[in-house]
Amino acid sequence: MTTATDMIAPHGGVLVDLIVDPDRAESLKQASRDFPSWDLTERQICDLELLMNGAFSPLTGFLRRDDYESVCARMRLADGTLWPMPITLDVSDEFAQSISEGDQVALRDAEGVMLAVLTVEDKWQPDKMAEAQGVFGTTNTEHPGVDYLMNQAGNTYLGGRIEGLSLPVHYDFKGLRLTPMETRELFQAAGWSRVVAFQTRNPMHRAHQELTLRAAEEVAGHLLIQPVVGMTKPGDVDHFTRVRCYQALLDNYPAGVGQLALLNLAMRMGGPREAVWHAIIRKNHGCTHFIVGRDHAGPGSDSQGNPFYGPYDAQELMRECADDLGVEMVPFRLMVYVPDKHAYMPVDEVPEGTETKSISGTELRERLLNGDDLPDWFTFPTVASELRRSHRPRATQGFTVFFTGLSGSGKSTVANVLRVKLLERGGRSVTLLDGDLVRRNLSSELGFSKEHRNLNIQRIGFVASEITKGGGVAVCAPIAPYDSVRQENRRLINEVGGYILVHIATPLEVCEQRDRKGLYAKARAGIIKEFTGISDPYEEPEDADLRIDTADITPEEAADQIMAHLVAEGYLTEN
Ligand code: PPS
């Protein structure tokens, strides 16, 4: 049904339910044989789920053009209803060409299951710069929301109503994935008339517990702790770990004060506008109040160190929207620990000159990497131990040593010595992905064009990241002449462990003089085409962690330099 159903619930107003009745579902399934299919992206699946279950009420589908333009420009739907975030279905140009207004499109998940049918009412090419500026206040692609918009989202948007067949199935933490209908029912059954919601994408510690308890006390109500488990900021702690942390933390709350529920939201890190969006979503879940702290849903700073949003911009916008929101803000300042009082306090309530303590996200990550203590004043021991379970200290983490350099520079020889030295120490499996070896086994069909070389390096990066994730060591030794794909690998592998780029910077003349395989002679004679350094480019890395010229040192000396670096960085312990 695409009509709005007015729930009998204490709060939240009209709740949209886009799941159709079984008869309509059956007839759509039959008809869908003739529908074009769109395979939803990860973000679109999150959006569709929250559209279908009413978390995005009053929306009844992906925005049409008039609503989209109005939302971007003035934070309202075309009819004037407050709505801060464009919920759009972006598609590729190729797919868009096959679609006309009035068509029905089967929206499918990664396994091909049809989750919903979209009736296309509008198709247009958005002005992405205007969208970025209007929604995020910047067109800088260092902002993750802008980066997604500019570099990942398709160039055509389809708008129209949704008929839902089934919500995406989740196999993890099933009992905690409550729809807006379910939270409303839960509040009603428990007799909770005032509920304050807390949004987070990070693990929660004592400061958060204090903040949420204060908020519940302030509103004389109960708590809905509703972390986001859809898409958050790249690099965040994975949601499996976080949910185990939340569960551990909840054991330390007074009984009956609150409820944990997970929200499959795809965040945009849109700061102030995102705060308003979060508040509306919580209203739809039946909450009466919403906590907005410091830098709510902020993406941090750009590369020049300038924050994208001011620390309390979100609170300001929430105040401006107060009349339209239907949910009340509970604003909070930063909570800090006051050792003298053995308690947490909002920073603006701490008397001047009093000693305070806090641990930043960066410091927490460092402590986890180094295996350092997480003090009791900062977090509960059960939460700390959950974090430790999934954050191995560097000394036991997997890592990749990625060599790059010209043919004949000594990559393979040094990589082999390094492999043996690592095995001599023991403790981790070591896999050598040498250039020739990979070309024989993984990339035998590839040649040496830029496209093929990059594909080869991507494959090596993928295998290395899997090895690294499993706690092993991958030693890779291809030429890898192009910078962008090397950087891609760094990003991929850094998410799961260590990445060390070693530039074997032996000069071309030396490599050519060595010419162990006789390839340089052939390249000079034009018998081998596209030969790196002779008739093909080599982009010197500017981000190498180590630069080693093997012209005047032995392979063992080169490997020892790398071993010393691994010790200095904490991947290996000193002997
Ligand atoms: S790349 O660019 O990273 O995909 O190259 P890689 O997989 O490391 O393969 C390089 C090895 O292939 C041999 N070979 C060539 N190298 C460079 N350019 C051309 N045109 C070429 N044709 C064959 C060469 O033996 C390389 O091995 P190394 O160990 O680097 O000498």
Side-chain angles (χ1 to χ4, degrees):
M1 289 230 316
T2 50
T3 52
T5 318
D6 204 350
M7 285 273 306
I8 307 163
H11 300 287
V14 173
L15 188 66
V16 166
D17 175 7
L18 300 181
I19 302 291
V20 296
D21 60 50
D23 287 347
R24 178 68 182 152
E26 194 45 45
S27 77
L28 281 172
K29 273 184 199 151
Q30 298 293 332
S32 69
R33 292 192 193 111
D34 300 324
F35 296 168
S37 283
W38 174 251
D39 295 333
L40 295 157
T41 63
E42 198 186 342
R43 182 202 271 193
Q44 291 167 350
I45 290 183
C46 291
D47 285 354
L48 181 64
E49 175 174 341
L50 300 203
L51 278 170
M52 290 198 291
N53 73 16
F56 288 169
S57 299
L59 303 192
T60 55
F62 287 101
L63 292 190
R64 290 188 321 267
R65 186 174 188 161
D66 55 350
D67 283 329
Y68 162 76
E69 283 171 355
S70 174
V71 165
C72 291
R74 55 186 194 114
M75 244 176 62
R76 289 179 183 278
L77 300 171
D79 69 3
T81 308
L82 179 72
W83 188 266
M85 201 54 73
I87 307 300
T88 49
L89 186 75
D90 59 285
V91 297
S92 63
D93 295 336
E94 197 190 0
F95 183 75
Q97 271 161 23
S98 68
I99 299 296
S100 308
E101 283 167 23
D103 282 354
Q104 289 186 295
V105 178
L107 302 180
R108 298 185 187 276
D109 69 10
E111 275 78 46
V113 176
M114 180 166 70
L115 300 178
V117 172
L118 167 77
T119 301
V120 180
E121 293 165 48
D122 259 338
K123 171 177 118 166
W124 76 102
Q125 299 227 309
D127 178 348
K128 289 190 175 181
M129 292 301 263
E131 177 179 336
Q133 192 59 50
V135 177
F136 300 115
T138 174
T139 55
N140 184 347
T141 52
E142 288 168 349
H143 185 299
V146 179
D147 177 51
Y148 187 95
L149 176 65
M150 300 297 181
N151 299 322
Q152 278 181 262
N155 288 327
T156 305
Y157 288 176
L158 304 179
R161 70 192 167 90
I162 287 294
E163 290 178 278
L165 297 168
S166 59
L167 292 171
V169 180
H170 299 286
Y171 298 101
D172 57 339
F173 308 113
K174 284 179 171 186
L176 294 175
R177 292 178 180 269
L178 304 181
T179 63
M181 177 89 86
E182 287 167 337
T183 51
R184 287 180 183 213
E185 283 170 354
L186 189 145
F187 301 158
Q188 204 168 28
W192 293 1
S193 57
R194 296 164 71 79
V195 182
V196 55
F198 181 65
Q199 134 87 31
T200 182
R201 45 170 260 270
N202 287 310
M204 289 173 68
H205 305 292
R206 285 184 189 264
H208 305 98
Q209 189 205 34
E210 180 62 26
L211 184 153
T212 49
L213 284 174
R214 276 178 181 239
E217 201 181 301
E218 223 170 87
V219 309
H222 292 84
L223 259 176
L224 179 69
I225 296 175
Q226 198 180 35
V228 169
V229 294
M231 290 169 76
T232 62
K233 193 176 157 194
D236 281 348
V237 176
D238 69 276
H239 83 262
F240 299 103
T241 304
R242 283 191 290 117
V243 178
R244 291 196 301 270
C245 288
Y246 303 135
Q247 286 171 318
L249 179 80
L250 230 73
D251 293 341
N252 298 287
Y253 275 78
V257 75
Q259 171 72 36
L260 176 65
L262 310 180
L263 184 68
N264 197 37
L265 176 73
M267 289 181 70
R268 273 63 160 170
M269 306 309 299
R273 273 197 185 220
E274 180 126 356
V276 174
W277 187 37
H278 289 174
I280 294 172
I281 293 167
R282 273 40 183 239
K283 178 188 75 173
N284 288 329
H285 280 82
C287 300
T288 51
H289 293 77
F290 182 61
I291 297 170
V292 180
R294 189 181 179 279
D295 197 22
H296 188 102
S301 302
D302 65 16
S303 53
Q304 308 302 308
N306 301 314
F308 284 103
Y309 308 110
Y312 298 105
D313 285 1
Q315 293 184 0
E316 217 163 281
L317 188 65
M318 286 284 292
R319 272 186 207 103
E320 284 169 29
C321 299
D323 290 347
D324 283 326
L325 262 175
V327 57
E328 216 174 293
M329 170 170 64
V330 181
F332 263 96
R333 294 269 149 176
L334 186 70
M335 299 292 286
V336 288
Y337 183 66
V338 182
D340 280 355
K341 295 190 186 301
H342 300 290
Y344 276 89
M345 290 172 78
V347 70
D348 55 336
E349 286 177 23
V350 178
E352 234 185 87
T354 312
E355 188 206 349
T356 63
K357 281 184 176 182
S358 60
I359 291 182
S360 70
T362 316
E363 192 182 339
L364 173 61
R365 268 190 294 278
E366 276 303 309
R367 281 178 187 247
L368 287 167
L369 276 180
N370 298 329
D372 291 345
D373 176 46
L374 294 181
D376 214 37
W377 62 262
F378 172 71
T379 198
F380 290 98
T382 46
V383 175
S385 89
E386 274 306 335
L387 283 174
R388 281 219 185 80
R389 276 177 68 202
S390 33
H391 290 80
R392 301 186 211 191
R394 273 201 177 146
T396 61
Q397 242 181 39
F399 61 87
T400 292
V401 180
F402 201 99
F403 288 86
T404 173
L406 298 171
S407 174
S409 59
K411 301 182 302 289
S412 306
T413 319
V414 179
N416 248 311
V417 180
L418 180 69
R419 181 184 76 92
V420 170
K421 285 187 180 267
L422 288 167
L423 286 172
E424 184 189 24
R425 278 189 164 240
R428 292 176 176 105
S429 69
V430 183
T431 307
L432 181 62
L433 296 164
D434 188 37
D436 284 333
L437 195 92
V438 168
R439 285 210 168 249
R440 254 199 318 280
N441 296 298
L442 260 186
S443 295
S444 56
E445 86 288 16
L446 299 183
F448 289 89
S449 64
K450 181 173 183 180
E451 192 196 350
H452 277 193
R453 286 181 194 262
N454 281 348
L455 196 54
N456 183 38
I457 301 309
Q458 267 171 353
R459 289 177 187 175
I460 295 174
F462 170 73
V463 175
S465 75
E466 290 297 310
I467 291 167
T468 302
K469 187 161 57 178
V473 180
V475 179
C476 313
I479 296 177
Y482 296 109
D483 187 57
S484 69
V485 70
R486 288 192 305 248
Q487 298 217 20
E488 229 175 79
N489 280 350
R490 181 190 283 279
R491 275 193 295 276
L492 183 76
I493 295 166
N494 261 340
E495 272 178 29
V496 292
Y499 176 88
I500 299 100
L501 183 68
V502 180
H503 179 199
I504 301 292
T506 314
L508 177 66
E509 311 80 73
V510 178
C511 300
E512 191 166 2
Q513 217 170 20
R514 288 177 182 163
D515 204 10
R516 296 229 169 82
K517 301 177 186 163
L519 296 174
Y520 280 95
K522 286 188 182 150
R524 288 283 181 204
I527 301 166
I528 301 180
K529 307 270 184 263
E530 299 176 312
F531 196 81
T532 310
I534 305 297
S535 44
D536 222 46
Y538 178 78
E539 297 172 3
E540 301 242 336
E542 283 174 13
D543 60 340
D545 300 277
L546 278 176
R547 191 173 180 278
I548 301 174
D549 178 349
T550 66
D552 299 315
I553 60 170
T554 65
E556 181 161 15
E557 283 167 337
D560 282 341
Q561 283 186 27
I562 301 167
M563 292 293 280
H565 180 82
L566 292 171
V567 170
E569 290 294 307
Y571 292 108
L572 300 178
T573 49
E574 295 205 42
N575 257 343

